[in-house]
Amino acid sequence: VPNPDFPESKKYVIINHGYTSSHFGALKYLNVWMQLGFHCVIWDGRHHGENLISWRKPCTLGVLECRDFMTVYEDTYRRFGRDIYLGTQGESMGSALQITALKFHPDLKFIVNDCGFSNLPENYWNMFADWKQILSGLGWVLGYFGMPHIIVRYMSLESQKSTRKSAKIGITWNV
């Protein structure tokens, strides 16, 4: 969405909507960003809004959506140039997918995370239709390697001596 008040602005923000929302849910943030001089990129996540296709491509609460975000991110730089000031804002699942996308090292100037997930267990039970999907989803609930709070634990080590303790905590969480 181009900013009519600041047409020459090089500031852009990608807005990521929450679970069960769509790009229409992202519209509530446009006024704030436009007053700050930003152009806004809004999009529909996997199995949401205009991308509501079939259950063959279900929502994965950020796992695959982070790759979709990276496609939007790369497209934004391709369209508007590498010299833009680009950031992102997400709410609920949108927060999760942009944090998960950090593993791809995107060149973002800022990230605004709003309310990671309001009620993750409820979202899981609403998302899964049969027992296979429920069992698969339990892997998320119980833990997986690369969980943001586990990665942050390793990143925040004060010394190499703390590595063994952190490894035990991380492995215990994932088992």
Side-chain angles (χ1 to χ4, degrees):
V1 179
N3 189 327
D5 296 331
F6 299 95
E8 301 302 317
S9 173
K10 291 285 197 177
K11 299 190 299 187
Y12 289 80
V13 61
I14 300 171
I15 303 175
N16 307 293
H17 64 75
Y19 182 61
T20 71
S21 187
S22 71
H23 68 278
F24 292 113
L27 294 176
K28 63 186 169 223
Y29 299 110
L30 287 184
N31 192 35
V32 172
W33 288 109
M34 291 209 173
Q35 286 178 8
L36 294 170
F38 282 82
H39 301 285
C40 299
V41 178
I42 58 174
W43 63 291
D44 281 328
R46 180 181 298 256
H47 202 73
H48 288 78
E50 293 180 16
N51 288 328
L52 189 60
I53 47 174
S54 72
W55 281 103
R56 287 178 288 185
K57 285 196 170 182
C59 172
T60 61
L61 298 177
V63 177
L64 297 177
E65 289 79 7
C66 73
R67 293 182 186 274
D68 299 337
F69 167 78
M70 289 304 297
T71 300
V72 173
Y73 157 85
E74 290 162 3
D75 183 64
T76 302
Y77 271 128
R78 184 184 57 77
R79 288 180 188 216
F80 305 111
R82 296 293 307 173
D83 62 332
I84 63 173
Y85 185 84
L86 179 62
T88 183
Q89 175 194 346
E91 68 175 4
S92 183
M93 180 185 70
S95 293
L97 74 88
Q98 66 191 16
I99 290 298
T100 306
L102 289 177
K103 68 183 177 183
F104 300 114
H105 307 286
D107 182 19
L108 295 168
K109 305 301 184 207
F110 65 90
I111 294 176
V112 177
N113 264 344
D114 180 15
C115 179
F117 277 105
S118 61
N119 190 341
L120 191 55
E122 182 180 317
N123 289 339
Y124 276 115
W125 295 121
N126 289 337
M127 186 177 89
F128 300 115
D130 64 31
W131 67 272
K132 291 178 195 171
Q133 290 177 324
I134 291 170
L135 286 177
S136 174
L138 286 175
W140 265 95
V141 174
L142 298 175
Y144 65 94
F145 291 105
M147 288 182 100
H149 63 281
I150 299 295
I151 292 172
V152 169
R153 177 75 180 148
Y154 283 108
M155 290 170 55
S156 65
L157 293 177
E158 294 176 6
S159 69
Q160 280 189 311
K161 294 178 183 177
S162 306
T163 306
R164 291 187 75 86
K165 181 179 178 184
S166 292
K168 288 177 186 175
I169 292 170
I171 291 169
T172 303
W173 181 264
N174 283 295
V175 173

